Amino acid sequence: MSAIWKKPITLALCTETSANTAVSHLGIEFTEIGDDFLRGRVPVDERTRQPFGLLHGGVSVVLAETLGSIGAFYASPEGHRGVGLDINANHLRAATSGWVTGTARPVHIGRTTQVWQIDMANDAGELTCVSRITMAILAPR
């Protein structure tokens, strides 16, 4: 199987693209790039917990949208970009400390849309959230 990436992709580029954004503010880190996936993680700490000490559900969605959006950008032809159309998340298990790691894989890479599945797990490898994002792929203007 060949890689899905249509633009050069590195962890450094993903990090650089996200500097001074919600991604860097929340401490999200890009950790691995495979032929058909992008992986990143978010800390469960004072920046990301809700008042009852659990990882805020919205932060899980931010991690999912980050990985799906960055993945869609690099899986699109040069000059194209992706914008989110729809995202959903099912919260399966609470996380109270450590890291939550998300793995984004495409379900569909089309000419005008992409669908990405993002599975998030705690440090024990237990699923905490599953999410799916639909991206519109915009051609250069």
Side-chain angles (χ1 to χ4, degrees):
M1 179 183 99
S2 63
I4 60 171
W5 313 117
K6 294 187 172 74
K7 298 176 180 117
I9 182 173
T10 66
L11 294 175
L13 281 171
C14 293
T15 300
E16 182 182 313
T17 302
S18 301
N20 300 310
T21 67
V23 175
S24 60
H25 178 72
L26 292 172
I28 292 172
E29 300 175 354
F30 299 94
T31 59
E32 189 178 355
I33 299 164
D35 284 348
D36 69 340
F37 71 89
L38 175 62
R39 187 167 289 138
R41 65 185 191 163
V42 66
V44 182
D45 65 17
E46 66 282 350
R47 295 170 290 182
T48 61
R49 284 189 194 105
Q50 43 94 310
F52 301 106
L54 311 175
L55 179 66
H56 194 293
V59 173
S60 294
V61 176
V62 172
L63 177 61
E65 183 144 4
T66 298
L67 295 173
S69 294
I70 296 280
F73 173 77
Y74 286 103
S76 299
E78 199 60 57
H80 289 65
R81 60 193 176 95
V83 294
L85 287 178
D86 182 66
I87 189 166
N88 70 47
N90 296 104
H91 305 288
L92 307 174
R93 173 180 277 107
T96 57
S97 63
W99 293 84
V100 167
T101 299
T103 302
R105 284 191 166 83
V107 174
H108 167 75
I109 296 180
R111 190 176 49 80
T112 59
T113 61
Q114 293 184 18
V115 178
W116 287 72
Q117 171 83 24
I118 304 92
D119 293 329
M120 289 158 269
N122 62 22
D123 289 332
E126 301 165 319
L127 271 181
T128 59
C129 183
V130 294
S131 180
R132 187 168 278 197
I133 187 168
T134 302
M135 302 292 298
I137 305 304
L138 305 179
R141 292 189 204 198

